[in-house]
Amino acid sequence: MYIFTLDTKIQELFVTGTRSGSMCLNDTIMQYAALPFGGVGPSGMGSYHGKYSFDTFVHKKSCLTKDFNPIGEKLAASRYPPYSESKLSFLSTLLKKRQGINLHFLPYLLMFGIGVASTLVVSTILKDDD
């Protein structure tokens, strides 16, 4: 859309009150060089130029690959029918509401954190010596 007016109220009226793929005030074609270009509604095909062209014309596809890892398959076997008592018991254990935070493993977590921190400190000191 091209609008030619010096009246800022009319400019604002067109900018806020209309829908278009792009708009140029008091100039022609310049928005095409730098801004995404494209229509809206049924006549619009999306936005073009640079990244916008890529996003418009590339179909993004989600893909999940099952690798049939024996351990993973054994653990995930409960999700497939037929559902036996053992499968239902395993699923209900996984879905059971937990009560609070178990602090039993806190010392191990702290020691792991100290190990990671000391590794980072030692590697930083060794890099500074080089």
Side-chain angles (χ1 to χ4, degrees):
M1 179 181 296
Y2 300 104
I3 308 299
F4 295 92
T5 181
L6 296 177
D7 187 336
T8 56
K9 289 184 180 182
I10 293 176
Q11 290 176 356
E12 184 65 25
L13 178 68
F14 274 93
V15 169
T16 60
T18 61
R19 286 185 47 193
S20 62
S22 64
M23 180 181 290
C24 192
L25 299 171
N26 300 322
D27 204 338
T28 59
I29 306 296
M30 289 308 296
Q31 91 283 6
Y32 186 73
L35 301 175
F37 178 79
V40 294
S43 66
M45 294 288 291
S47 295
Y48 309 108
H49 291 165
K51 177 189 180 313
Y52 303 102
S53 295
F54 183 82
D55 290 343
T56 296
F57 292 110
V58 172
H59 174 74
K60 297 173 187 168
K61 176 177 24 176
S62 299
C63 181
L64 175 100
T65 302
K66 186 174 180 180
D67 67 356
F68 297 105
N69 178 313
I71 295 171
E73 286 299 310
K74 185 66 176 168
L75 291 172
S78 299
R79 65 185 178 175
Y80 303 116
Y83 296 108
S84 64
E85 285 298 318
S86 61
K87 284 184 178 182
L88 292 174
S89 173
F90 180 70
L91 287 173
S92 65
T93 301
L94 288 177
L95 298 173
K96 189 186 324 182
K97 193 171 192 177
R98 306 286 190 259
Q99 298 296 324
I101 298 173
N102 186 353
L103 300 178
H104 177 73
F105 296 104
L106 185 60
Y108 302 106
L109 185 61
L110 287 174
M111 289 306 293
F112 177 76
I114 291 169
V116 169
S118 62
T119 302
L120 292 173
V121 167
V122 169
S123 65
T124 303
I125 290 171
L126 291 177
K127 283 182 184 177
D128 288 343
D129 290 339
D130 292 340

